[in-house]
Amino acid sequence: MNWIKKTLGIGEKIKRLITKHRPTKEETEKSDWTSCCKGPILKKDLEENLWCCNLCGKHHRINSRQRFDVFFGKNNYEILETPMPVDDPISWKDTKSYSKRLKDARNKNNQECAVLIAKGKINNIELVCAAMNFNFIGGSMGTAEGEAIISGIQHSIDNSIPFIIFTSTGGARMMESGLSLMQMTRTVLAVNELKSKKLPYIVCLSSPTSGGVTASFAMLGDIQIAEPGAEIIFAGRRVIESTIKEELPENFQTAEHTLKCGFVDTIIPRKNLPEKIGILLSILLNKNSEVNSSSENETSKDTKQLSKVAS
């Protein structure tokens, strides 16, 4: 190659021709294609199937608005405004400043933080729904996300309607340090207040759900639902294996394994979530409204019905 470079000056051209081009992250995002089990797949085809692969059934990640479109129906919901605390409270900077990361994430996702709150109806039942967006700094939980969830729960309490959350997150946001970890306690207290009002709280775990979110509000649902194949994690696999000095099962931290261990009540495909959650809410709200007058047999009947729907 040296003599070609020296004599003809075309070494770099040849090198570019024989070197496989690796698309940048920006090129991948702008492309009409993505990849799945059998290779390239049109994003349009994936969207028509609710961002689920027809061949392997993989549930691809979706953003907050896409989640509301799937759950409520396109434009059949209202986005609620949530409080926005001060950006970059500890002036964090690594390869670039946290303020710059927030600005980029907001421009890219058209939302102010990783959590959006919407109000809509399922099975003619009004409810508040929160959806986490993994594309927004890994769906991580900072003060703005904590405020959004608490605000959504407060709206549920004020209007005596159920609250549902779809999780997709890397956990607590390191750029906010202890302030991020504080949101674990704050959101748990809000969930407890919701439950004290006898209002249903349903959690739907999508991939991935991890870290401080898994350790707080994500595992406190009256009903715990997961999408097929969802990764449900606290600490990473390698961290656990290096700590306990044992090899973990192959499907460890998947929704299916978590279901066997009793931490998830049921696994429901994305396309069936509106129908199934609508039925569950009908049962839960009926049970709550008659809790003081229902007999032991009626309570037992409701419990069996819930189990049937979940399965």
Side-chain angles (χ1 to χ4, degrees):
M1 181 65 76
N2 286 341
W3 70 268
I4 297 178
K5 184 176 180 180
K6 288 177 181 178
T7 58
L8 300 178
I10 59 173
E12 286 303 315
K13 293 181 180 179
I14 294 175
K15 187 176 180 181
R16 284 196 295 270
L17 285 171
I18 64 175
T19 302
K20 184 179 179 181
H21 173 66
R22 295 182 180 179
T24 64
K25 187 176 180 180
E26 289 74 19
E27 288 175 332
T28 302
E29 289 173 352
K30 291 178 182 178
S31 172
D32 293 331
W33 297 82
T34 187
S35 59
C36 199
C37 55
K38 299 296 182 181
I41 179 173
L42 274 169
K43 289 180 180 177
K44 184 180 178 181
D45 293 341
L46 200 62
E47 181 179 356
E48 288 175 356
N49 197 40
L50 306 181
W51 293 274
C52 298
C53 179
N54 270 322
L55 297 174
C56 67
K58 178 181 176 179
H59 284 48
H60 289 252
R61 292 173 188 158
I62 55 179
N63 64 39
S64 300
R65 285 184 174 82
Q66 289 169 337
R67 176 65 69 180
F68 295 145
D69 287 343
V70 170
F71 191 58
F72 291 116
K74 202 167 184 66
N75 301 322
N76 287 339
Y77 54 87
E78 174 192 357
I79 300 289
L80 303 179
E81 288 189 15
T82 58
M84 283 301 298
V86 176
D87 287 349
D88 199 3
I90 62 173
S91 301
W92 175 283
K93 186 175 182 180
D94 42 73
T95 54
K96 59 182 175 180
S97 70
Y98 179 36
S99 297
K100 180 66 166 59
R101 291 185 188 278
L102 283 172
K103 183 179 179 180
D104 291 345
R106 286 166 179 165
N107 290 336
K108 176 183 173 183
N109 294 280
N110 190 29
Q111 60 186 80
E112 292 299 307
C113 71
V115 176
L116 279 186
I117 307 293
K119 182 165 69 173
K121 289 185 178 181
I122 292 292
N123 199 18
N124 210 31
I125 297 170
E126 192 173 39
L127 58 90
V128 176
C129 180
M132 306 185 81
N133 181 1
F134 192 82
N135 291 330
F136 194 108
I137 313 182
S140 52
M141 179 175 63
T143 51
E145 288 72 23
E147 288 291 344
I149 293 166
I150 293 167
S151 175
I153 290 175
Q154 188 61 54
H155 192 87
S156 284
I157 293 171
D158 292 343
N159 294 276
S160 298
I161 55 179
F163 185 80
I164 294 173
I165 187 162
F166 290 87
T167 60
S168 181
T169 172
R173 186 171 296 168
M174 67 177 184
M175 298 86 162
E176 295 190 22
S177 189
L179 293 173
S180 175
L181 296 177
M182 285 170 59
Q183 308 314 309
M184 295 171 65
T185 306
R186 298 181 72 234
T187 52
V188 168
L189 289 172
V191 169
N192 286 342
E193 184 66 19
L194 181 75
K195 291 186 175 186
S196 73
K197 304 299 182 184
K198 308 296 182 185
L199 295 170
Y201 173 55
I202 295 178
V203 179
C204 184
L205 306 157
S206 63
S207 193
T209 298
S210 57
V213 172
T214 306
S216 55
F217 62 85
M219 301 305 288
L220 297 177
D222 298 316
I223 304 291
Q224 292 287 131
I225 300 170
E227 289 188 331
E231 294 175 309
I232 302 168
I233 303 163
F234 176 62
R237 182 187 186 96
R238 285 182 296 176
V239 173
I240 298 172
E241 287 183 334
S242 64
T243 302
I244 66 174
K245 309 300 181 186
E246 289 184 20
E247 189 174 337
L248 297 169
E250 185 178 347
N251 67 341
F252 184 70
Q253 297 179 325
T254 63
E256 290 72 18
H257 181 77
T258 310
L259 176 66
K260 287 182 180 180
C261 294
F263 289 97
V264 167
D265 295 310
T266 184
I267 297 173
I268 300 177
R270 188 172 291 166
K271 64 180 181 180
N272 297 332
L273 281 170
E275 177 193 0
K276 293 289 188 179
I277 288 178
I279 296 170
L280 287 169
L281 287 174
S282 298
I283 297 168
L284 289 170
L285 289 170
N286 181 60
K287 182 176 178 180
N288 286 337
S289 64
E290 299 176 1
V291 69
N292 294 324
S293 59
S294 63
S295 66
E296 185 177 341
N297 288 337
E298 288 174 325
T299 303
S300 176
K301 182 180 178 181
D302 280 347
T303 304
K304 290 178 181 177
Q305 196 173 0
L306 278 169
S307 300
K308 185 178 180 181
V309 172
S311 61

